[in-house]
Amino acid sequence: VGGAVAVQSSLGGAQTDELGAPRRRWRGGMCDCLGVFCNGLFWQGWCCNPFLLGQLAQRMNLNVCGSPGGNTSNTCSSISVLFCVYLAFWLIGLSACLWPFMFVYVIILAMNIRLNYRKKYEIAPSCFECCDGMLDDFCCALFCECCVGIQMARHTHDERQYPYQCCSETGLTSNAPA
């Protein structure tokens, strides 16, 4: 994910951190998720988005609410266990009362993670600037949570050098930089 040092990129003079993640703009658009259609990242984002959000929170050292602070050592595992418990209730037919809570939790989690990504990489909100861009992050998470997760996952690493790994804590290989 990288530190706070910004350097000039060889690609059009855009600012990047020392690991190549762009600053002040997203590496790809929200609708660029189809660029990884044949990749596990696409299917993780569309079919098991809470797992992807857990990986993204783990990359940024965020807690289970998608915010900095608290216990961040096992964020991905905690979110994954929560989602698996929900799926177990769904399989036995008891998810009707839990569905609204899980839906709200996942939207708030995606919103908070996106807000923290935007702050770290100094990315301006797409549409709504009010509330420090939180309204923008909320709308993006609400209307296209899957695309938002894929966009953030692709932002922080070069997928040609470090391919996505569905079953790792961060979604990256063990040799990828922290």
Side-chain angles (χ1 to χ4, degrees):
V1 173
V5 178
V7 296
Q8 291 293 328
S9 168
S10 60
L11 302 172
Q15 292 247 331
T16 62
D17 68 4
E18 70 272 3
L19 297 176
R23 293 202 168 284
R24 296 186 181 86
R25 64 173 176 79
W26 290 104
R27 185 183 302 256
M30 272 203 339
C31 296
D32 289 348
C33 58
L34 292 176
V36 290
F37 182 76
C38 294
N39 186 312
L41 174 59
F42 179 86
W43 298 104
Q44 183 96 335
W46 281 91
C47 300
C48 298
N49 196 269
F51 294 130
L52 176 59
L53 293 175
Q55 292 171 334
L56 295 172
Q58 189 76 45
R59 281 188 202 179
M60 293 283 289
N61 292 318
L62 303 174
N63 62 26
V64 294
C65 295
S67 302
N71 182 8
T72 62
S73 62
N74 58 356
T75 300
C76 182
S77 300
S78 299
I79 293 171
S80 297
V81 166
L82 179 66
F83 187 59
C84 287
V85 167
Y86 170 76
L87 289 177
F89 276 93
W90 180 76
L91 286 173
I92 60 174
L94 299 175
S95 69
C97 60
L98 295 177
W99 181 88
F101 297 106
M102 190 63 176
F103 177 78
V104 169
Y105 170 71
V106 171
I107 296 300
I108 291 172
L109 178 64
M111 177 190 75
N112 285 339
I113 293 171
R114 187 171 193 266
L115 174 68
N116 284 291
Y117 267 74
R118 278 193 321 92
K119 284 181 178 180
K120 178 174 177 83
Y121 295 103
E122 303 165 359
I123 300 170
S126 307
C127 300
F128 307 109
E129 305 241 351
C130 68
C131 307
D132 196 25
M134 286 181 72
L135 179 59
D136 185 70
D137 298 323
F138 172 76
C139 288
C140 289
L142 180 64
F143 295 114
C144 201
E145 170 193 334
C146 305
C147 295
V148 164
I150 294 169
Q151 179 187 39
M152 289 186 292
R154 295 180 78 191
H155 184 79
T156 54
H157 75 285
D158 181 351
E159 57 200 17
R160 294 170 302 229
Q161 187 173 5
Y162 304 107
Y164 181 73
Q165 299 289 315
C166 291
C167 297
S168 76
E169 286 283 310
T170 61
L172 300 173
T173 57
S174 60
N175 66 338

